[in-house]
Amino acid sequence: MIFGGSWGSTLALAYAESHADRVSEMVLRGIFLVRRKDIEWFYEPTGGAAAVFPDAFHDYVEPIPPHERHPSIIHAYHRRLVTGDNEEERLRAARAWSIWEGRTSRLNVDPATVLRFAADAFSIALARIECHYFVNNGFLKWDSQLLDGVDKIRHIPTYIIHGRYDLICPASTAWELHRAFPEAHLRIVPNAGHSSFEPGITHELILATDAFRR
């Protein structure tokens, strides 16, 4: 079984499409297909997340000078997180990047989650890995690769679980995957955001794994 959420769902799909003979079933949560529009939704001002959390987005872009925010905020972040050598600037950027995700990961902002995402070691690890992969489009060969490769995994029993109010990975992404992969069971969880710790999402994840246990 492959079990993956958010970026883990990206890796799960990429692995399954490359090694379908080694996968017995999949449980996917918070679908992220690492397409340009998926990245821009959350990390650029033209995306939808900025419109819902304008205050948190303001804090996210604050480490980037206005003249560097165009054409791409994530490329400006990459210069600070990955290729730059200013440790103080790197930590400041990492904390802003990570806190943005922490503030938006649940239906209701959870201070404990934000605090965890703000920790130095956590934020550096999260921000550097995410930013490097996103600048390089997940190292996929083309933008729609994961959707285009669904025919290779159509025979694999799969559950897709997604929060209705997921601000990091909008529910439309799960819907697109389900439209391409109707054999999978789709569960849109009401009153839930992105985190696997949302009660409704946790419940559906348990039901899915229990179904495969039988």
Side-chain angles (χ1 to χ4, degrees):
M1 176 194 287
I2 294 182
F3 183 106
S6 192
W7 175 237
S9 74
T10 312
L11 299 177
L13 288 166
Y15 180 85
E17 290 176 8
S18 298
H19 306 285
D21 59 317
R22 299 184 180 182
V23 180
S24 56
E25 56 265 323
M26 293 192 293
V27 177
L28 308 176
R29 189 267 311 165
I31 304 302
F32 181 58
L33 299 177
V34 77
R35 297 166 298 179
R36 180 52 38 192
K37 72 174 186 177
D38 303 322
I39 295 167
E40 291 179 352
W41 162 270
F42 191 63
Y43 292 104
E44 299 291 345
T46 52
V52 181
F53 275 86
D55 49 346
F57 192 83
H58 176 272
D59 294 340
Y60 156 68
V61 301
E62 198 274 332
I64 309 300
H67 69 276
E68 286 192 61
R69 296 175 188 175
H70 304 282
S72 169
I73 289 175
I74 64 167
H75 279 82
Y77 261 104
H78 193 264
R79 290 190 289 272
R80 287 158 175 78
L81 292 169
V82 180
T83 60
D85 57 8
N86 185 320
E87 292 296 331
E88 183 178 339
E89 188 176 60
R90 175 178 294 165
L91 179 58
R92 181 181 174 218
R95 291 186 77 250
W97 177 288
S98 187
I99 289 171
W100 164 235
E101 185 168 330
R103 290 173 74 179
T104 53
S105 66
R106 304 188 72 148
L107 180 62
N108 297 306
V109 178
D110 176 40
T113 298
V114 176
L115 189 63
R116 181 166 63 91
F117 275 68
D120 290 355
F122 185 99
S123 61
I124 283 284
L126 177 78
R128 295 190 78 193
I129 291 171
E130 288 187 339
C131 188
H132 188 55
Y133 270 86
F134 299 163
V135 161
N136 291 284
N137 300 312
F139 296 96
L140 298 179
K141 295 178 181 178
W142 67 92
D143 196 53
S144 58
Q145 179 179 330
L146 297 180
L147 276 183
D148 295 344
V150 161
D151 279 346
K152 301 174 184 177
I153 61 172
R154 204 172 292 285
H155 64 287
I156 299 174
T158 300
Y159 278 85
I160 299 169
I161 297 162
H162 208 105
R164 171 70 69 187
Y165 301 106
D166 189 332
L167 258 294
I168 297 175
C169 303
S172 58
T173 310
W175 180 247
E176 286 183 81
L177 177 60
H178 181 58
R179 290 290 300 272
F181 187 9
E183 296 84 356
H185 302 280
L186 174 64
R187 301 289 185 266
I188 299 292
V189 183
N191 301 320
H194 182 71
S195 173
S196 61
F197 296 107
E198 300 272 28
I201 291 181
T202 302
H203 176 71
E204 289 294 342
L205 291 173
I206 292 171
L207 289 180
T209 51
D210 280 352
F212 288 136
R213 183 181 63 179
R214 292 193 294 270

